[in-house]
Amino acid sequence: MLNIPTQSFPAASSQQRVAPSGQSGRNKVALKPGHSLMDWIRFAKSGKDLTGLRGRLIDVSQEELQKHNTREDCWTCIRGMVYNVTPYMDYHPGGEEELMKAAGIDGTDLFDQVHRWVNYESMLKECLVGRMATKTTAAVKAIMPPPPTSLAPPAAVAPPPNKDSRPRYDWFQTDATVHLVVYAKRKVKETLPNGTCPVPGGGKKPVAAPIPGSGCTTADLQAGVLRVEALLGKMSYMIHLRLADEVEGSISVQTAFTVGKIQIILRKLTAGKWTSLGQPLDSHNTFLCKKDRAPFYRDYVLVSKTEVNHNTHVFRLQPPRGTVLQVPVGKHVYLKAQIQDTEVVRPYTPVDQSLVAASPPSPQGSDLYLMIKVYPDGVFTPYINSLNIGERISVSGPEGNFSLRPLRDITSLYLLAAGTGFTPMARLIHLALHSSESIRLTKLLFFNRREEDILWRRELDELAASSDRFQVEYVLSEPSDGWTGRRGRVDQAMLDGTLERTDGSRSYACVCGPSAFTEIATGLLKQLGVGEEELHAFQG
């Protein structure tokens, strides 16, 4: 649930108010000087005892965990492991308030709601107290039913109650090819790269929802191991096999949208018949909530870096041969790197090669374009900026809870972006203008500090000049004397003048930017009557 503050923007404790010029409001609270992520990495490696146990690991009972629930003595449990997070309090970007919510208890669910992608094991390894004890009393044992005689899958991978909705797979072959077929048991609205859905008999219609298709099925073939993940709404279906024989390194993915069928085509290195498809590996043939599936990474190659403005570049990343991955509109990926022996992960939303793409990208293994602002005092962005062409970085599959379904029947789309919060808006703009028959107006309110900070300004201006369905307005908080556009920060009067709520219109609003901006803008929109079902806030 979003916290809707009442104070003016930016919040008193936000990075946008207190950070030196040139920095951004990436963190939810202002960290004290000397308490950045890099400072924490150095402190954690200083050799100091961060657990209070002088290097011992212990079994922690529920009663013992509950005792450590204060600011000065705070333990929490994540996936069965207990950490003393007291030393980390002043380094946590979300502030001590967020950490204290899990003080003395199992904080796994709270952690997954916000930081599922963070490698806490690497970040907090020096704070590890031990493992939660799993002793069971005799009284409890007496009332427990006997264990099942057959091996059952863990609860996390159990199929949903409606077994008819569970996908299944089959395979067939020729002398030269192997075909793996996933039956989703529902009609699949295939999301094409440009955000439209094919319709029987030809033509296109506005996209309804990104259920699996070329943009929602990822396939990886590496060293004879095939991993296929199909996203069906909030669920994830996985095939994971060591193939029975050798195949070529490339892979093809096809979707039959009318029957909910996804087909993966492999070419054999040696002609002949296989007696089996292969050996099942971890998580093979599992169907579970996407949030319960750990992100999977593959190594992309940096092939180019293009300057956007004085501190922002578009990084073009190429997938390895054997990977087919399309990121649906509104979804993001995680980049992962090992920096000073610590695993650091950051989310980024892909953009197209340009705001007005000449043609949609190929659905088979397309490159990723990531617009990234480089922070000189940061940890991750200087690292990726230092990569040479040809070097590699780990990239996850699509993540995020954004759905295109609410955009199906709207007439107006309002986009509020601050800084690099523009990135998810770029593909939404393209989709609204080129793939929707109902959206008559797309309006972008773009907040930045200075004029030189505006991303893709020339392309946005050209698009506004060429299309009567798109409008853009820039708002600067630190404008030059010659600036003639809007000045200031997001407020109610500004948004009231932006929204056009006429009779019969159906609108939707998207917000993205630093946390303080997102919370303030979302709260103001709700005060103006924008309902929960008409609003999406992208969270970084």
Side-chain angles (χ1 to χ4, degrees):
M1 181 178 294
L2 287 170
N3 175 33
I4 305 172
T6 56
Q7 68 267 29
S8 61
F9 178 81
S13 62
S14 80
Q15 288 281 63
Q16 289 198 340
R17 183 181 293 276
V18 301
S21 177
Q23 297 180 21
S24 96
R26 291 171 293 161
N27 295 326
K28 193 168 184 179
V29 300
L31 297 174
K32 299 175 183 177
H35 287 78
S36 67
L37 173 58
M38 189 59 72
D39 291 318
W40 168 252
I41 293 173
R42 296 190 190 101
F43 180 62
K45 297 182 182 301
S46 66
K48 294 184 179 180
D49 180 13
L50 301 187
T51 65
L53 299 175
R54 299 181 179 179
R56 292 183 299 117
L57 295 179
I58 64 173
D59 287 339
V60 182
S61 67
Q62 190 70 35
E63 293 76 18
E64 181 65 26
L65 177 63
Q66 291 172 355
K67 295 176 183 177
H68 302 270
N69 61 0
T70 67
R71 168 65 175 81
E72 293 71 28
D73 180 18
C74 183
W75 290 9
T76 191
C77 174
I78 304 176
R79 294 187 176 87
M81 307 304 290
V82 179
Y83 299 88
N84 179 2
V85 296
T86 312
Y88 185 56
M89 286 284 179
D90 291 335
Y91 295 87
H92 185 234
E96 67 177 62
E97 180 181 350
E98 291 297 314
L99 286 180
M100 288 303 297
K101 291 178 180 178
I105 63 173
D106 189 323
T108 303
D109 289 343
L110 290 169
F111 177 87
D112 285 345
Q113 288 174 19
V114 182
H115 301 300
R116 188 178 79 88
W117 48 274
V118 173
N119 190 329
Y120 63 92
E121 294 168 305
S122 177
M123 294 287 294
L124 299 176
K125 61 185 176 182
E126 302 301 330
C127 299
L128 179 63
V129 170
R131 187 186 301 273
M132 283 295 295
T134 56
K135 294 180 181 178
T136 308
T137 65
V140 173
K141 288 181 179 179
I143 62 173
M144 289 178 62
T149 55
S150 61
L151 291 176
V157 299
N162 181 7
K163 293 183 179 180
D164 290 339
S165 68
R166 180 187 173 94
R168 65 178 180 86
Y169 79 97
D170 202 351
W171 71 288
F172 64 92
Q173 61 180 314
T174 68
D175 282 342
T177 60
V178 174
H179 302 252
L180 174 71
V181 184
V182 175
Y183 299 94
K185 295 194 175 181
R186 67 187 74 184
K187 289 186 178 181
V188 175
K189 295 184 183 299
E190 179 176 3
T191 305
L192 299 179
N194 64 353
T196 59
C197 290
V199 293
K204 300 172 182 177
K205 67 178 180 180
V207 65
I211 313 175
S214 60
C216 295
T217 300
T218 62
D220 295 275
L221 175 63
Q222 299 295 328
V225 173
L226 176 67
R227 182 187 186 277
V228 177
E229 183 178 6
L231 302 182
L232 294 90
K234 295 181 180 180
M235 303 298 291
S236 164
Y237 179 68
M238 183 177 293
I239 300 295
H240 195 197
L241 293 160
R242 182 173 296 281
L243 297 174
D245 209 335
E246 294 183 335
V247 295
E248 293 183 4
S250 59
I251 187 171
S252 176
V253 177
Q254 299 176 359
T255 302
F257 63 93
T258 56
V259 294
K261 185 173 73 173
I262 303 163
Q263 185 171 199
I264 294 87
I265 304 171
L266 310 168
R267 299 193 65 83
K268 299 175 181 177
L269 275 182
T270 304
K273 296 296 184 181
W274 290 9
T275 58
S276 71
L277 182 57
Q279 178 67 35
L281 299 176
D282 291 345
S283 300
H284 174 65
N285 197 25
T286 56
F287 186 42
L288 61 148
C289 288
K290 172 61 178 174
K291 66 181 181 63
D292 294 328
R293 182 95 67 194
F296 179 79
Y297 292 87
R298 65 281 291 162
D299 287 338
Y300 275 59
V301 175
L302 176 64
V303 295
S304 69
K305 183 173 69 173
T306 306
E307 183 178 288
V308 178
N309 66 10
H310 61 99
N311 60 9
T312 303
H313 297 80
V314 171
F315 295 81
R316 181 180 179 182
L317 302 176
Q318 185 178 77
R321 187 185 183 203
T323 289
V324 176
L325 188 157
Q326 284 285 318
V327 182
V329 174
K331 304 288 187 179
H332 59 269
V333 297
Y334 298 127
L335 301 191
K336 180 175 70 173
Q338 198 78 12
I339 302 175
Q340 293 196 7
D341 297 325
T342 298
E343 193 173 272
V344 182
V345 181
R346 291 289 184 270
Y348 292 100
T349 302
V351 297
D352 291 324
Q353 187 171 7
S354 65
L355 189 60
V356 186
S359 60
S362 164
Q364 303 295 326
S366 293
D367 295 352
L368 283 179
Y369 295 86
L370 301 177
M371 184 180 289
I372 299 177
K373 180 177 180 179
V374 178
Y375 300 89
D377 61 337
V379 174
F380 196 88
T381 56
Y383 171 85
I384 190 172
N385 194 43
S386 70
L387 291 179
N388 297 313
I389 302 302
E391 292 189 310
R392 299 176 183 273
I393 190 166
S394 296
V395 180
S396 79
E399 298 279 346
N401 60 2
F402 180 78
S403 172
L404 289 172
R405 187 179 300 276
L407 306 187
R408 178 168 45 186
D409 298 318
I410 65 169
T411 57
S412 301
L413 178 62
Y414 298 101
L415 309 174
L416 278 63
T420 49
F422 166 72
T423 53
M425 311 306 184
R427 297 179 71 196
L428 279 172
I429 292 170
H430 188 272
L431 179 143
L433 296 182
H434 299 282
S435 305
S436 171
E437 297 173 353
S438 66
I439 300 177
R440 298 193 294 265
L441 173 66
T442 299
K443 184 179 291 189
L444 171 66
L445 202 57
F446 197 0
F447 296 81
N448 287 276
R449 286 189 170 185
R450 295 174 293 270
E451 198 168 352
E452 60 266 28
D453 296 328
I454 301 173
L455 302 172
W456 273 354
R457 183 181 181 183
R458 179 181 58 81
E459 295 194 37
L460 287 168
D461 288 342
E462 290 178 355
L463 190 59
S466 62
S467 174
D468 57 4
R469 298 171 59 209
F470 176 70
Q471 299 175 10
V472 60
E473 189 167 10
Y474 309 108
V475 185
L476 301 184
S477 59
E478 299 177 9
S480 64
D481 293 339
W483 176 252
T484 59
R486 277 189 185 263
R487 300 166 178 252
R489 304 181 187 275
V490 64
D491 58 32
Q492 190 166 16
M494 187 183 299
L495 297 189
D496 196 17
T498 299
L499 301 179
E500 300 177 7
R501 311 282 298 233
T502 59
D503 292 341
S505 66
R506 301 176 302 278
S507 63
Y508 196 80
C510 296
V511 182
C512 189
S515 297
F517 169 85
T518 301
E519 290 182 358
I520 293 291
T522 303
L524 291 172
L525 287 170
K526 290 181 178 180
Q527 292 174 22
L528 290 171
V530 178
E532 291 277 0
E533 71 284 356
E534 302 174 298
L535 176 62
H536 181 84
F538 291 96
Q539 302 290 345

